[in-house]
C-alpha cells in the first residue's frame, strides 16, 4: 500500500457506522435495513411498490419529513426502502450527514442550485464546467429566473474572490474539470465562500467519494453523477447530493420529493448499491491504468500535451497531491494532429469505443470539440483550450498492456503506417 491508499484506509471517522473504513462502508453500510424482513435478506431488494398500507389515520403526519428509518412509508416518491438504503450508503461514503439520490446527476445539480439561490442572487462558477451544468446555470437560472452567473478561472482562488459580490449566494466548482483536468483549491474557495456567507457546492463526479472529500475541505454540499464511477458499469443514470447542513437538507428534501419529484428509481438505487461495493477495487484499477496510459502518452512524440493530475508535469500536481487521495481514471491528450489525423487514430482503436460519459469499467474515448463541447462556440473552445486534437480517455479496468497496444495501433494509423493486428494482440 502506498501512502495514498493508507490515507483512504485511515479515514475512519467519516460517517461510518462505528468508524469503519471506506472499503467496509462501501460494501455494507446502509444494507442492514434489508435484514428487517421475515427472510433477513443480506442484499437490499428492489422495492417496486409505489404505495404502502398505513396503520391508520394520523392527523399529525407531515409528508415532507417522513422518516424511513422510523418505518414511515406512505408513497414511494416520498420514501422508498431501496432508495433509503442507497442514501445511507452515499452519506457514509461521502462522509456527510444527509444524502439524497436523484434521477440523474443533472437533477442533483438543478436541485442543489434551486435550494440555494433566489431571483436576483449571483453565482460564481468555474468556467471549465461540465457542459450541462453550464447550460442549466445560464439557460435556466440566468435567463428564466434572473440569477446572475459569473464564470471564472477558478484555478486562481483570487479570481474567485474578485468575482464575488454582496449578492453572491453560491459558488459552484468542479475539480478536476472536464476535459482539461484543471483543479481548484477547495479549501481556499471555501474560505472565500465563508467570507461572503455563501454556499460552496462541489461536483465530485470525476474522482468520486474515495479520492476526494470536499465536505472535509469546507464545501457545504457535494453532488455526484452516480452514472459515472459510483455505479461504475455504464448501465444506470442517477445523481446524489450530500450535505452536513440540516437546513439545506430540509430544503433539498422538499425539492427532491415534493417541489420537483426528482427521485432515483428503486431499480437504479439497487444498481448503485451494487456498484458501490466494488468502488474501492475499481478506483485503484482505474487509477493504475490511467497512470500507465498518461505515462505512455507523455513519452510519445505524437502528443502535444497530456493532462493528468498524477503526472509531475501537471501544473497543479502539488495541489493534486495535497487535496486528493487519488488521481482518478480520466486522461486527456492533445494529439499533434488535425481532425483527419484524429479520425485515423480513433478508427484504429479497438478497446476505446468513441462515446461520451466516463467512469465505467470499460474504457471509452471522446472528442470534446465535436462531442461534449460542441455546443460551445469556436471562440469559447479556443479560450478554454479545447482544440481539434484533444481527446478525453476514460480509462477502464482492462489489462493495461492491451490498452497501450491499442493506443500504439492508433498512432500507427495516425502516421499512415499499415498495422497488422494478430489474433493474440
Ligand atoms: C455526467 C456528469 C454530470 C451530469 O450527470 P448525469 O447523470 O448525466 O445527469 C454532471 N457533472 C459531471 C462532472 C459529469 O461528468
Amino acid at each position: 500500500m502506498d501512502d495514498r491508499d493508507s490515507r483512504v484506509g485511515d479515514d475512519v471517522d467519516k460517517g461510518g457506522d462505528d468508524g469503519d473504513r471506506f472499503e467496509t462502508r462501501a460494501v455494507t453500510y446502509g444494507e442492514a435495513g434489508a435484514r428487517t424482513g421475515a427472510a433477513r435478506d443480506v442484499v437490499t431488494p428492489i422495492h417496486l411498490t409505489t404505495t404502502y398500507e398505513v396503520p391508520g389515520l394520523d392527523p399529525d403526519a407531515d409528508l415532507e419529513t417522513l422518516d424511513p428509518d422510523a418505518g414511515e412509508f406512505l408513497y414511494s416518491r416520498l420514501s422508498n426502502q431501496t432508495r433509503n438504503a442507497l442514501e445511507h450508503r452515499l452519506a457514509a461514503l461521502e462522509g456527510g450527514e444527509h444524502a439524497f439520490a436523484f434521477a440523474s446527476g443533472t437533477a442533483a445539480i438543478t436541485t442543489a442550485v434551486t435550494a440555494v439561490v433566489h431571483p436576483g442572487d449571483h453565482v460564481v462558477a468555474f468556467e471549465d464546467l461540465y457542459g450541462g451544468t453550464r447550460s442549466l446555470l445560464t439557460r435556466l437560472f440566468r435567463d428564466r429566473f434572473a440569477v446572475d452567473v459569473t464564470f471564472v478561472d477558478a484555478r486562481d482562488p483570487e479570481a474567485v474572490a474578485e468575482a464575488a459580490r454582496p449578492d453572491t449566494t453560491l459558488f459552484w466548482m468542479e475539480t478536476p474539470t472536464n476535459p482539461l483536468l484543471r483543479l481548484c483549491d477547495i479549501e481556499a474557495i471555501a474560505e472565500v465562500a465563508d467570507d461572503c456567507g455563501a454556499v460552496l457546492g462541489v461536483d465530485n463526479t470525476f474522482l468520486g467519494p474515495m479520492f476526494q472529500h470536499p465536505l472535509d475541505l469546507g464545501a457545504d454540499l457535494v453532488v455526484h453523477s452516480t452514472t459515472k464511477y459510483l455505479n461504475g458499469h455504464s448501465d444506470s443514470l442517477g445523481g446524489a447530493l450530500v450535505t452536513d447542513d440540516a437546513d439545506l437538507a430540509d430544503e433539498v428534501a422538499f425539492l427532491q420529493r415534493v417541489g420537483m419529484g426528482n427521485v432515483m428509481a428503486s431499480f437504479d438505487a439497487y444498481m448503485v448499491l451494487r456498484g458501490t461495493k466494488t468502488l474501492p477495487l475499481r478506483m485503484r484499477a482505474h487509477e493504475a491504468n490511467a497512470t500507465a496510459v498518461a505515462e505512455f502518452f507523455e513519452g510519445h512524440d505524437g502528443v502535444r500535451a497530456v493532462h493528468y493530475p498524477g503526472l509531475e508535469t501537471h501544473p497543479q500536481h502539488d495541489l493534486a497531491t495535497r487535496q486528493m487521495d487519488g488521481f482518478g481514471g480520466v486522461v486527456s491528450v492533445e494529439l499533434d494532429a488535425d481532425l483527419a489525423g484524429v479520425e485515423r487514430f480513433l478508427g484504429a482503436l479497438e478497446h476505446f469505443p468513441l462515446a461520451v460519459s466516463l467512469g465505467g469499467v470499460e474504457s471509452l474515448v471522446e472528442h470534446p470539440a465535436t462531442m461534449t463541447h460542441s455546443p460551445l462556440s469556436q471562440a469559447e473552445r479556443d479560450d478554454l483550450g479545447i482544440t481539434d486534437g484533444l481527446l478525453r480517455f476514460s480509462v477502464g479496468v482492462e489489462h493495461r498492456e492491451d490498452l497501450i497496444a491499442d493506443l500504439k495501433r492508433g498512432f500507427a494509423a495516425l502516421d499512415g503506417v499499415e498495422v497488422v493486428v494478430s489474433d493474440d494482440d
Side-chain angles (χ1 to χ4, degrees), residues 9 60 78 102 118 133 175 189 224 255 314 319 341 378 380 421:
D60 300 325
L78 305 172
F102 295 87
H118 293 88
T133 305
T175 178
I189 295 172
H224 285 277
L255 291 168
H314 188 285
L319 174 59
Q378 182 71 45
E380 286 172 315
V421 180

Side-chain angles (χ1 to χ4, degrees), residues 132 155 204 240 304 383:
R155 283 178 292 183
N204 204 21
R304 279 200 205 115
D383 274 355

Side-chain angles (χ1 to χ4, degrees), residues 195-324:
D195 290 347
C196 302
V199 167
L200 170 60
V202 174
D203 182 336
N204 204 21
T205 299
F206 255 50
L207 289 177
M210 178 164 163
F211 284 164
Q212 184 164 266
H213 315 286
L215 295 177
D216 290 346
L217 298 168
D220 299 291
L221 70 90
V222 175
V223 299
H224 285 277
S225 167
T226 62
T227 315
K228 316 295 168 53
Y229 288 107
L230 277 163
N231 179 60
H233 296 76
S234 306
D235 53 8
S236 157
L237 273 178
L241 186 158
V242 185
T243 182
D244 281 329
D245 182 327
D247 293 334
L248 190 58
D250 282 347
E251 197 57 19
V252 170
F254 161 72
L255 291 168
Q256 178 205 32
R257 299 164 194 175
V258 180
M260 295 174 153
N262 257 336
V263 294
M264 184 185 280
S266 46
F267 177 76
D268 293 288
Y270 166 83
M271 296 289 273
V272 181
L273 270 171
R274 191 175 204 269
T276 50
K277 294 178 192 189
T278 54
L279 182 71
L281 307 176
R282 288 187 282 109
M283 290 315 293
R284 291 204 178 90
H286 282 296
E287 183 184 47
N289 281 357
T291 302
V293 164
E295 285 171 354
F296 166 75
F297 279 126
E298 197 167 45
H300 202 286
D301 56 13
V303 167
R304 279 200 205 115
V306 186
H307 307 283
Y308 185 64
L311 293 176
E312 281 178 20
T313 50
H314 188 285
Q316 295 169 293
H317 180 67
D318 287 348
L319 174 59
T321 311
R322 195 167 77 239
Q323 169 165 286
M324 294 149 51

Side-chain angles (χ1 to χ4, degrees), residues 20-340:
D20 290 326
R21 289 166 177 76
F22 189 88
E23 291 80 350
T24 309
R25 285 179 261 147
V27 174
T28 61
Y29 203 64
E31 208 90 63
R35 280 173 229 158
T36 52
R40 298 184 56 76
D41 308 35
V42 167
V43 172
T44 303
I46 308 175
H47 288 274
L48 290 173
T49 190
T50 54
T51 189
Y52 301 85
E53 182 182 10
V54 295
L57 303 182
D58 179 1
D60 300 325
D62 178 351
L63 295 192
E64 284 163 34
T65 59
L66 287 177
D67 179 6
D69 294 335
E72 294 177 3
F73 295 97
L74 178 75
Y75 185 61
S76 168
R77 170 162 47 72
L78 305 172
S79 52
N80 168 281
Q81 301 98 306
T82 316
R83 192 174 87 231
N84 182 241
L86 175 63
E87 289 174 339
H88 279 288
R89 169 84 41 89
L90 293 168
L93 294 182
E94 198 53 73
E97 284 290 317
H98 312 276
F100 303 88
F102 295 87
S104 67
T106 304
I109 296 166
T110 310
T111 304
V113 178
T114 308
V116 176
V117 303
H118 293 88
D121 285 357
H122 176 237
V123 176
V124 176
F126 204 154
E127 62 183 6
D128 190 15
L129 278 188
Y130 179 72
T133 305
R134 212 183 152 97
S135 299
L136 72 87
L137 285 174
T138 52
R139 291 186 54 187
L140 181 63
F141 289 96
R142 190 189 64 201
D143 297 352
R144 279 180 186 262
F145 298 136
V147 173
D148 201 9
V149 187
T150 304
F151 293 103
V152 292
D153 184 347
R155 283 178 292 183
D156 176 11
E158 300 272 310
V160 177
E162 276 161 28
R165 305 193 317 218
D167 55 353
T168 306
T169 53
L170 176 66
F171 291 81
W172 193 265
M173 297 293 142
E174 266 174 40
T175 178
T177 59
N178 173 24
L180 291 164
L181 289 299
R182 291 175 178 161
L183 311 184
C184 64
D185 185 333
I186 298 173
E187 211 162 11
I189 295 172
E191 274 177 32
V192 175
D194 254 9
D195 290 347
C196 302
V199 167
L200 170 60
V202 174
D203 182 336
N204 204 21
T205 299
F206 255 50
L207 289 177
M210 178 164 163
F211 284 164
Q212 184 164 266
H213 315 286
L215 295 177
D216 290 346
L217 298 168
D220 299 291
L221 70 90
V222 175
V223 299
H224 285 277
S225 167
T226 62
T227 315
K228 316 295 168 53
Y229 288 107
L230 277 163
N231 179 60
H233 296 76
S234 306
D235 53 8
S236 157
L237 273 178
L241 186 158
V242 185
T243 182
D244 281 329
D245 182 327
D247 293 334
L248 190 58
D250 282 347
E251 197 57 19
V252 170
F254 161 72
L255 291 168
Q256 178 205 32
R257 299 164 194 175
V258 180
M260 295 174 153
N262 257 336
V263 294
M264 184 185 280
S266 46
F267 177 76
D268 293 288
Y270 166 83
M271 296 289 273
V272 181
L273 270 171
R274 191 175 204 269
T276 50
K277 294 178 192 189
T278 54
L279 182 71
L281 307 176
R282 288 187 282 109
M283 290 315 293
R284 291 204 178 90
H286 282 296
E287 183 184 47
N289 281 357
T291 302
V293 164
E295 285 171 354
F296 166 75
F297 279 126
E298 197 167 45
H300 202 286
D301 56 13
V303 167
R304 279 200 205 115
V306 186
H307 307 283
Y308 185 64
L311 293 176
E312 281 178 20
T313 50
H314 188 285
Q316 295 169 293
H317 180 67
D318 287 348
L319 174 59
T321 311
R322 195 167 77 239
Q323 169 165 286
M324 294 149 51
D325 286 337
F327 301 116
V330 178
V331 179
S332 290
V333 172
E334 195 179 337
L335 298 181
D336 188 8
D338 57 10
L339 205 52

Side-chain angles (χ1 to χ4, degrees), residues 366-381:
E366 75 106 2
H367 185 245
T370 59
M371 294 169 73
T372 47
H373 291 66
S374 61
L376 298 186
S377 67
Q378 182 71 45
E380 286 172 315
R381 283 199 298 273

